[in-house]
Amino acid sequence: MKHLEIRGLSSAYGSVRVLRDVSLDAGKGEVVSLIGPSGSGKSTLLRVLIGLTPPTAGEVSIAGEKVNYRNRRSVKAVRDRMSIVFQQYNLFQNMTVLRNVTVAPIKIKKRPRAEAEEDAMSLLERVGMAERKDAYPDELSGGQQQRVAIARALATNPEILLLDEVTSALDPERVNEVLDTIRALTSEGITMLIVSHEMAFVREVSTRIAMMDEGRIVECGSPARIFDSPTKARTRDFVSKILKH
Amino acid sequence: MLEQIAEQIPLFFGYHNVIFILQAAGRTLGMTFAGCSVGFAFGFLIAVLRQTTGPVLFLPRLLGIAYVEIFRRIPFLVILFIVLFVIEPLMPGTSLFGIATVSVCLLSTAFLSEIIRSGLESVPMQQIEGAKVLNLNGLQTLFMVILPQSWKVILPPAAAFVVMFIKDTSLASQLGVIEMTFAGEMLVNRGFSPVLGFGVVLVCYFAMSYPLSRLAIRLEKRLEAS
Ligand SMILES: Nc1ncnc2c1ncn2[C@@H]1O[C@H](COP(=O)(O)OP(=O)(O)O)[C@@H](O)[C@H]1O
Ligand SMILES: [Mg+2]
C-alpha cells in the first residue's frame, strides 16, 4: 500500500478543466517532484490534495484511507496529516515568528503552550531562524519568511508535506538557504510532493519526478530517466528548454 | 452689532444657558455615539455574514446585502421620519431622542458595514487559506488572522464617518430633538444675536469632532506601528 495514492483525479475552475485524470502515488518518505510549464495544473493538484480546491472526479487515499473532500471532517483529518507551503505570503502578518509556528499546535492540537514553544524553538533552530523568534514577517527577508513557513508547516508533525514553488518569489541569492532547509528534510521520512523550477535541486532530491502538461501527467519516472532519457517529446522539450536557462 | 454682542455675553453665558447648551451637546454626542456603536456591532455582523459561503446562510446573507444597499441610499432625514411614523404608533411615548438614536443606528449600520467589509476583504486570500490548511475554524480565522490585519483599513474611514455623523445629527432638529443646532436656533429666537448663538454652536461642533479626529489619527499611527 502506497502512503499517498491519487487515482484519476480531475478538477476544474468553472468549465475550465485544469486537472485531467491524474494518477500518482508516493511511498512513505518518498520525495516526488512535479515539473511542467506554468499553467499545467501543478498548484491545482496540491490545492486539491489539501482540500482548497474541490475535485470533480477521482480518488485520493492516505495510508489506505480514502479521503472524502465533500466532508468537512475528512478534510480536517487530511490537513491534520498534511501541510503545505505556498510561494509567498504564508505567514500571518499580525503574528511573530514564534506565534506563527505555535498557533496550530496550541489552538488546534491543544498542546500546552510551554511544550509547543519548546518544540517550535527546536524547529526554528533547524531552519536557522531561532534568533528571529520575536520578529514580525515584514521584518524578514523572503527567504527567512519561507524558512519560518516551513517550520510552521512541520509544527503539526505532518506525514505529508506539499511545497508549491517555495523559492520562486525569492531573490536569487536567497534561494539556496531555503533549498538547503528542504534538502535537510528529505531524509526524515516525511513524504514530500515538491513543485519547483530548480531543476538541479529537483534532480538531486527526488526519488521520482512527474512531468505535467495541460492538466495531465505526461510522464513519471526516476530523475535520471526524466532528465537524461525522457520518452515523451513534451518532457524532452520542457527539460531542454529549462536547463538552457 | 459688536456692542450688542458684548452686551449679551454675560447673559448668554448665564448658568441656565450653559446647562441648556451642554445638554444639547450631550444629545448630539449621545445620538451619534450610541447610534454608531450599535451600528458598528450590527454592521460587523452583516459584514461577517457577507463573507460566508454555502447555502445555509443564503437567506440571511441576502437580507444583509439588501439592507446595506437600501439604507445607504436613503437620506438621513427620510429615515428619521420613517422611524418616527413607525415607532410612534407602536411604542407611544418613545422620546424624540430615542427615535433619532434608532435612526442613527439604522443608517450607520449600513455605512459601517460597508467600511468593515472592505477592511475584511483587504486581507490577502493567502492569509485565509493559510489559516484553513492549519485547520483553524472560521471564527478563529476571523479573530486571530483577519481582524487584526484589517483594523488599520477599517479605523480611518470608520472614524471619519462618525465625525461626519456628529454634524449630520443636526437633521434631528427637524424632528424637534433639542440637539446642538436646534438649541442654537432656540437661543436666537429668544433674542440673542445669531452671530453669538450660532458662533457658539459652531465652536461646540468643532470641540466635539476635533478630539475624535485626533484620537483616530493616533490610534491609526499606533496600529501602523504594530
Ligand atoms: N482561481 C482560478 N480561477 C480560474 N482559473 C484558474 C484559477 N487558478 C488557476 N487557474 C487556471 O488553472 C490552470 C492551472 O493552474 P495552476 O494549477 O496554477 O498551474 P501551475 O501551478 O502548473 O502553474 C491555469 O490555466 C490557470 O490559469
Ligand atoms: Mg503554480
Side-chain angles (χ1 to χ4, degrees):
Chain A
M1 178 185 62
K2 288 294 189 173
H3 191 204
L4 174 66
E5 261 186 81
I6 303 167
R7 288 277 161 274
L9 200 64
S10 297
S11 183
Y13 290 106
S15 60
V16 187
R17 298 177 59 197
V18 290
L19 282 187
R20 299 157 186 259
D21 195 22
V22 168
S23 296
L24 181 71
D25 42 43
K28 183 115 189 71
E30 229 192 311
V31 178
V32 178
S33 291
L34 301 165
I35 62 171
S38 105
S40 57
K42 306 178 299 292
S43 296
T44 306
L45 175 56
L46 300 194
R47 291 175 59 86
V48 170
L49 290 177
I50 201 138
L52 287 174
T53 298
T56 49
E59 287 183 2
V60 174
S61 320
I62 299 171
E65 276 175 55
K66 237 176 86 177
V67 180
N68 178 358
Y69 284 103
R70 293 214 195 91
N71 177 292
R72 248 179 208 225
R73 193 171 309 162
S74 179
V75 171
K76 276 202 147 177
V78 169
R79 291 172 179 166
D80 244 7
R81 314 172 75 167
M82 197 188 272
S83 292
I84 187 166
V85 181
F86 303 109
Q87 193 169 345
Q88 52 187 346
Y89 307 120
N90 285 286
L91 300 178
F92 300 131
Q93 300 296 310
N94 57 307
M95 298 181 193
T96 62
V97 163
L98 185 62
R99 185 89 178 110
N100 260 287
V101 181
T102 55
V103 63
I106 293 172
K107 297 289 169 184
I108 307 303
K109 304 244 163 164
K110 305 289 178 201
R111 303 193 44 210
R113 173 178 296 269
E115 198 186 297
E117 286 186 347
E118 199 173 304
D119 287 0
M121 283 314 291
S122 70
L123 279 172
L124 288 172
E125 204 84 60
R126 262 167 64 189
V127 301
M129 288 298 296
E131 298 107 87
R132 305 305 310 274
K133 71 179 174 66
D134 294 318
Y136 282 90
D138 62 1
E139 300 164 347
L140 303 176
S141 72
Q144 293 175 320
Q145 291 188 34
Q146 289 302 65
R147 278 144 65 197
V148 176
I150 290 169
R152 185 177 80 181
L154 294 174
T156 47
N157 291 317
E159 300 163 28
I160 301 173
L161 182 62
L162 312 177
L163 303 175
D164 190 3
E165 299 199 33
V166 296
T167 58
S168 297
L170 302 181
D171 296 332
E173 68 267 30
R174 294 289 183 177
V175 169
N176 278 327
E177 64 188 60
V178 177
L179 294 183
D180 289 343
T181 304
I182 299 168
R183 189 179 289 113
L185 294 174
T186 53
S187 54
E188 299 205 1
I190 304 174
T191 305
M192 291 168 80
L193 237 53
I194 301 179
V195 175
S196 177
H197 290 299
E198 301 292 332
M199 288 302 146
F201 175 75
V202 162
R203 176 167 196 160
E204 174 203 333
V205 301
S206 308
T207 48
R208 269 181 315 134
I209 297 174
M211 162 76 196
M212 285 190 76
D213 190 35
E214 294 181 344
R216 290 193 174 82
I217 291 184
V218 181
E219 187 170 2
C220 183
S222 69
R225 175 162 146 222
I226 296 292
F227 283 106
D228 302 334
S229 52
T231 56
K232 296 288 196 302
R234 193 70 194 85
T235 313
R236 214 154 30 226
D237 261 18
F238 178 77
V239 168
S240 68
K241 226 177 260 161
I242 204 157
L243 287 182
K244 251 184 244 152
H245 283 298
Chain B
M1 189 179 76
L2 279 178
E3 260 168 46
Q4 185 205 1
I5 293 172
E7 210 170 277
Q8 286 183 350
I9 279 180
L11 197 61
F12 188 88
F13 289 105
Y15 177 74
H16 290 289
N17 267 6
V18 169
I19 294 293
F20 180 69
I21 290 170
L22 286 179
Q23 279 177 339
R27 279 187 205 104
T28 290
L29 286 178
M31 280 188 285
T32 308
F33 284 107
C36 288
S37 304
V38 177
F40 196 91
F42 282 122
F44 179 74
L45 287 179
I46 294 178
V48 170
L49 196 59
R50 289 181 71 168
Q51 304 305 308
T52 59
T53 50
V56 182
L57 290 171
F58 178 75
L59 195 63
R61 198 156 57 223
L62 199 68
L63 291 175
I65 294 172
Y67 180 90
V68 169
E69 293 307 318
I70 291 169
F71 274 78
R72 277 199 305 158
R73 289 172 174 77
I74 306 178
F76 184 48
L77 190 56
V78 175
I79 293 184
L80 281 167
F81 284 118
I82 291 173
V83 173
L84 177 70
F85 293 129
V86 170
I87 287 192
E88 280 239 292
L90 290 178
M91 293 191 284
T94 306
S95 70
L96 290 173
F97 173 77
I99 285 166
T101 305
V102 169
S103 306
V104 175
C105 283
L106 292 177
L107 194 68
S108 63
T109 295
F111 278 95
L112 290 171
S113 173
E114 278 301 274
I115 289 171
I116 295 165
R117 184 169 73 100
S118 56
L120 299 181
E121 286 175 1
S122 73
V123 177
M125 198 56 205
Q126 288 97 332
Q127 296 282 300
I128 295 155
E129 289 186 341
K132 259 192 202 166
V133 298
L134 287 179
N135 266 338
L136 297 182
N137 65 32
L139 284 181
Q140 286 170 324
T141 305
L142 179 64
F143 286 103
M144 295 168 58
V145 177
I146 300 176
L147 271 182
Q149 295 188 48
S150 40
W151 282 126
K152 54 175 175 276
V153 180
I154 293 174
L155 200 72
F161 174 80
V162 176
V163 168
M164 186 205 72
F165 223 132
I166 291 178
K167 300 179 292 171
D168 287 1
T169 53
S170 65
L171 284 168
S173 63
Q174 299 291 311
L175 226 65
V177 179
I178 305 175
E179 43 63 71
M180 216 47 248
T181 303
F182 198 24
E185 209 176 315
M186 285 169 76
L187 290 170
V188 171
N189 286 340
R190 278 190 218 157
F192 287 109
S193 146
V195 175
L196 189 59
F198 285 112
V200 168
V201 168
L202 189 143
V203 169
C204 286
Y205 273 118
F206 181 79
M208 288 188 280
S209 50
Y210 187 71
L212 184 65
S213 308
R214 298 296 311 174
L215 183 74
I217 289 169
R218 272 186 48 184
L219 263 174
E220 202 187 321
K221 286 221 174 94
R222 273 256 294 275
L223 286 173
E224 224 143 72
S226 69

mmCIF file of all heavy atoms in Angstrom, chain A residues 164-188:
data_model
loop_
_atom_site.group_PDB
_atom_site.id
_atom_site.type_symbol
_atom_site.label_atom_id
_atom_site.label_comp_id
_atom_site.label_asym_id
_atom_site.label_seq_id
_atom_site.Cartn_x
_atom_site.Cartn_y
_atom_site.Cartn_z
ATOM 1 N N ASP A 164 4.851 24.238 -2.806
ATOM 2 C CA ASP A 164 4.481 24.775 -4.118
ATOM 3 C C ASP A 164 5.367 25.961 -4.498
ATOM 4 O O ASP A 164 5.120 27.088 -4.090
ATOM 5 C CB ASP A 164 3.007 25.211 -4.096
ATOM 6 C CG ASP A 164 2.513 25.552 -5.497
ATOM 7 O OD1 ASP A 164 3.283 25.396 -6.459
ATOM 8 O OD2 ASP A 164 1.336 25.968 -5.620
ATOM 9 N N GLU A 165 6.373 25.691 -5.269
ATOM 10 C CA GLU A 165 7.286 26.747 -5.745
ATOM 11 C C GLU A 165 7.723 27.678 -4.624
ATOM 12 O O GLU A 165 7.635 28.901 -4.748
ATOM 13 C CB GLU A 165 6.626 27.569 -6.854
ATOM 14 C CG GLU A 165 6.257 26.730 -8.065
ATOM 15 C CD GLU A 165 6.051 27.579 -9.306
ATOM 16 O OE1 GLU A 165 6.736 28.605 -9.451
ATOM 17 O OE2 GLU A 165 5.203 27.190 -10.133
ATOM 18 N N VAL A 166 8.209 27.100 -3.548
ATOM 19 C CA VAL A 166 8.517 27.911 -2.370
ATOM 20 C C VAL A 166 9.692 28.864 -2.578
ATOM 21 O O VAL A 166 9.916 29.764 -1.777
ATOM 22 C CB VAL A 166 8.760 27.048 -1.111
ATOM 23 C CG1 VAL A 166 7.500 26.306 -0.732
ATOM 24 C CG2 VAL A 166 9.897 26.094 -1.331
ATOM 25 N N THR A 167 10.463 28.661 -3.652
ATOM 26 C CA THR A 167 11.586 29.584 -3.877
ATOM 27 C C THR A 167 11.350 30.528 -5.058
ATOM 28 O O THR A 167 12.190 31.369 -5.359
ATOM 29 C CB THR A 167 12.899 28.813 -4.146
ATOM 30 O OG1 THR A 167 12.711 27.963 -5.276
ATOM 31 C CG2 THR A 167 13.313 27.987 -2.954
ATOM 32 N N SER A 168 10.208 30.410 -5.719
ATOM 33 C CA SER A 168 10.008 31.175 -6.963
ATOM 34 C C SER A 168 9.913 32.678 -6.774
ATOM 35 O O SER A 168 10.207 33.439 -7.678
ATOM 36 C CB SER A 168 8.749 30.700 -7.688
ATOM 37 O OG SER A 168 8.907 29.374 -8.050
ATOM 38 N N ALA A 169 9.463 33.105 -5.581
ATOM 39 C CA ALA A 169 9.295 34.545 -5.384
ATOM 40 C C ALA A 169 10.529 35.175 -4.726
ATOM 41 O O ALA A 169 10.508 36.340 -4.365
ATOM 42 C CB ALA A 169 8.052 34.807 -4.543
ATOM 43 N N LEU A 170 11.601 34.373 -4.578
ATOM 44 C CA LEU A 170 12.752 34.874 -3.817
ATOM 45 C C LEU A 170 13.820 35.497 -4.715
ATOM 46 O O LEU A 170 13.964 35.141 -5.884
ATOM 47 C CB LEU A 170 13.387 33.724 -3.032
ATOM 48 C CG LEU A 170 12.485 32.996 -2.046
ATOM 49 C CD1 LEU A 170 13.272 31.901 -1.342
ATOM 50 C CD2 LEU A 170 11.880 33.956 -1.045
ATOM 51 N N ASP A 171 14.590 36.407 -4.126
ATOM 52 C CA ASP A 171 15.778 36.897 -4.811
ATOM 53 C C ASP A 171 16.722 35.710 -5.002
ATOM 54 O O ASP A 171 16.826 34.863 -4.110
ATOM 55 C CB ASP A 171 16.497 37.955 -3.951
ATOM 56 C CG ASP A 171 15.622 39.180 -3.749
ATOM 57 O OD1 ASP A 171 14.781 39.449 -4.629
ATOM 58 O OD2 ASP A 171 15.758 39.850 -2.708
ATOM 59 N N PRO A 172 17.425 35.667 -6.121
ATOM 60 C CA PRO A 172 18.294 34.506 -6.409
ATOM 61 C C PRO A 172 19.239 34.155 -5.266
ATOM 62 O O PRO A 172 19.441 32.975 -4.976
ATOM 63 C CB PRO A 172 19.081 34.960 -7.642
ATOM 64 C CG PRO A 172 18.234 36.005 -8.283
ATOM 65 C CD PRO A 172 17.454 36.666 -7.192
ATOM 66 N N GLU A 173 19.772 35.159 -4.575
ATOM 67 C CA GLU A 173 20.741 34.825 -3.523
ATOM 68 C C GLU A 173 20.078 34.256 -2.273
ATOM 69 O O GLU A 173 20.758 33.823 -1.350
ATOM 70 C CB GLU A 173 21.623 36.043 -3.187
ATOM 71 C CG GLU A 173 20.883 37.188 -2.519
ATOM 72 C CD GLU A 173 20.388 38.214 -3.532
ATOM 73 O OE1 GLU A 173 20.107 37.813 -4.688
ATOM 74 O OE2 GLU A 173 20.269 39.406 -3.172
ATOM 75 N N ARG A 174 18.750 34.258 -2.243
ATOM 76 C CA ARG A 174 18.031 33.706 -1.095
ATOM 77 C C ARG A 174 17.524 32.285 -1.340
ATOM 78 O O ARG A 174 16.985 31.646 -0.451
ATOM 79 C CB ARG A 174 16.813 34.590 -0.761
ATOM 80 C CG ARG A 174 17.180 35.972 -0.283
ATOM 81 C CD ARG A 174 17.770 35.871 1.091
ATOM 82 N NE ARG A 174 18.073 37.189 1.630
ATOM 83 C CZ ARG A 174 18.550 37.384 2.843
ATOM 84 N NH1 ARG A 174 18.777 36.351 3.625
ATOM 85 N NH2 ARG A 174 18.801 38.595 3.262
ATOM 86 N N VAL A 175 17.658 31.833 -2.588
ATOM 87 C CA VAL A 175 17.079 30.547 -2.948
ATOM 88 C C VAL A 175 17.765 29.398 -2.216
ATOM 89 O O VAL A 175 17.107 28.521 -1.655
ATOM 90 C CB VAL A 175 17.143 30.345 -4.481
ATOM 91 C CG1 VAL A 175 16.797 28.907 -4.853
ATOM 92 C CG2 VAL A 175 16.182 31.317 -5.168
ATOM 93 N N ASN A 176 19.079 29.451 -2.161
ATOM 94 C CA ASN A 176 19.804 28.302 -1.616
ATOM 95 C C ASN A 176 19.536 28.021 -0.143
ATOM 96 O O ASN A 176 19.449 26.867 0.260
ATOM 97 C CB ASN A 176 21.302 28.465 -1.871
ATOM 98 C CG ASN A 176 21.631 28.027 -3.284
ATOM 99 O OD1 ASN A 176 20.998 27.109 -3.811
ATOM 100 N ND2 ASN A 176 22.580 28.697 -3.912
ATOM 101 N N GLU A 177 19.381 29.086 0.638
ATOM 102 C CA GLU A 177 19.127 28.854 2.058
ATOM 103 C C GLU A 177 17.830 28.066 2.257
ATOM 104 O O GLU A 177 17.724 27.236 3.166
ATOM 105 C CB GLU A 177 19.071 30.189 2.822
ATOM 106 C CG GLU A 177 17.935 31.105 2.407
ATOM 107 C CD GLU A 177 18.040 32.498 3.043
ATOM 108 O OE1 GLU A 177 19.036 33.204 2.812
ATOM 109 O OE2 GLU A 177 17.098 32.851 3.774
ATOM 110 N N VAL A 178 16.846 28.320 1.393
ATOM 111 C CA VAL A 178 15.578 27.604 1.508
ATOM 112 C C VAL A 178 15.719 26.178 0.974
ATOM 113 O O VAL A 178 15.240 25.218 1.586
ATOM 114 C CB VAL A 178 14.440 28.366 0.779
ATOM 115 C CG1 VAL A 178 13.146 27.584 0.826
ATOM 116 C CG2 VAL A 178 14.256 29.746 1.410
ATOM 117 N N LEU A 179 16.434 26.053 -0.144
ATOM 118 C CA LEU A 179 16.645 24.701 -0.690
ATOM 119 C C LEU A 179 17.433 23.829 0.296
ATOM 120 O O LEU A 179 17.124 22.652 0.467
ATOM 121 C CB LEU A 179 17.383 24.784 -2.027
ATOM 122 C CG LEU A 179 16.604 25.445 -3.176
ATOM 123 C CD1 LEU A 179 17.413 25.392 -4.466
ATOM 124 C CD2 LEU A 179 15.234 24.812 -3.381
ATOM 125 N N ASP A 180 18.398 24.434 0.970
ATOM 126 C CA ASP A 180 19.164 23.681 1.978
ATOM 127 C C ASP A 180 18.245 23.166 3.070
ATOM 128 O O ASP A 180 18.389 22.028 3.537
ATOM 129 C CB ASP A 180 20.246 24.577 2.609
ATOM 130 C CG ASP A 180 21.376 24.869 1.618
ATOM 131 O OD1 ASP A 180 21.474 24.137 0.615
ATOM 132 O OD2 ASP A 180 22.133 25.837 1.844
ATOM 133 N N THR A 181 17.331 24.027 3.492
ATOM 134 C CA THR A 181 16.374 23.638 4.529
ATOM 135 C C THR A 181 15.540 22.440 4.078
ATOM 136 O O THR A 181 15.333 21.485 4.823
ATOM 137 C CB THR A 181 15.445 24.827 4.851
ATOM 138 O OG1 THR A 181 16.238 25.941 5.216
ATOM 139 C CG2 THR A 181 14.495 24.487 5.978
ATOM 140 N N ILE A 182 15.076 22.503 2.826
ATOM 141 C CA ILE A 182 14.240 21.406 2.317
ATOM 142 C C ILE A 182 15.075 20.131 2.171
ATOM 143 O O ILE A 182 14.638 19.038 2.542
ATOM 144 C CB ILE A 182 13.628 21.783 0.954
ATOM 145 C CG1 ILE A 182 12.744 23.029 1.102
ATOM 146 C CG2 ILE A 182 12.809 20.622 0.400
ATOM 147 C CD1 ILE A 182 12.332 23.631 -0.215
ATOM 148 N N ARG A 183 16.278 20.296 1.667
ATOM 149 C CA ARG A 183 17.158 19.141 1.469
ATOM 150 C C ARG A 183 17.331 18.381 2.786
ATOM 151 O O ARG A 183 17.278 17.155 2.830
ATOM 152 C CB ARG A 183 18.508 19.622 0.945
ATOM 153 C CG ARG A 183 19.426 18.486 0.506
ATOM 154 C CD ARG A 183 20.756 19.003 -0.022
ATOM 155 N NE ARG A 183 20.626 19.656 -1.314
ATOM 156 C CZ ARG A 183 20.822 20.965 -1.532
ATOM 157 N NH1 ARG A 183 21.157 21.756 -0.543
ATOM 158 N NH2 ARG A 183 20.694 21.465 -2.735
ATOM 159 N N ALA A 184 17.481 19.134 3.878
ATOM 160 C CA ALA A 184 17.687 18.510 5.173
ATOM 161 C C ALA A 184 16.464 17.714 5.629
ATOM 162 O O ALA A 184 16.572 16.819 6.452
ATOM 163 C CB ALA A 184 18.024 19.588 6.210
ATOM 164 N N LEU A 185 15.298 18.046 5.057
ATOM 165 C CA LEU A 185 14.073 17.351 5.476
ATOM 166 C C LEU A 185 13.866 16.038 4.733
ATOM 167 O O LEU A 185 13.103 15.184 5.174
ATOM 168 C CB LEU A 185 12.852 18.227 5.202
ATOM 169 C CG LEU A 185 12.720 19.513 5.989
ATOM 170 C CD1 LEU A 185 11.532 20.301 5.469
ATOM 171 C CD2 LEU A 185 12.539 19.178 7.457
ATOM 172 N N THR A 186 14.512 15.926 3.578
ATOM 173 C CA THR A 186 14.166 14.804 2.710
ATOM 174 C C THR A 186 14.563 13.454 3.297
ATOM 175 O O THR A 186 14.088 12.435 2.843
ATOM 176 C CB THR A 186 14.833 14.946 1.326
ATOM 177 O OG1 THR A 186 16.235 15.144 1.524
ATOM 178 C CG2 THR A 186 14.258 16.121 0.565
ATOM 179 N N SER A 187 15.416 13.460 4.308
ATOM 180 C CA SER A 187 15.837 12.174 4.861
ATOM 181 C C SER A 187 15.105 11.850 6.153
ATOM 182 O O SER A 187 15.538 11.013 6.925
ATOM 183 C CB SER A 187 17.354 12.219 5.119
ATOM 184 O OG SER A 187 17.644 13.330 5.933
ATOM 185 N N GLU A 188 13.984 12.543 6.402
ATOM 186 C CA GLU A 188 13.330 12.357 7.702
ATOM 187 C C GLU A 188 12.058 11.529 7.660
ATOM 188 O O GLU A 188 11.299 11.501 8.610
ATOM 189 C CB GLU A 188 13.013 13.734 8.306
ATOM 190 C CG GLU A 188 14.274 14.499 8.523
ATOM 191 C CD GLU A 188 14.145 15.536 9.596
ATOM 192 O OE1 GLU A 188 13.044 15.647 10.186
ATOM 193 O OE2 GLU A 188 15.131 16.222 9.845
#
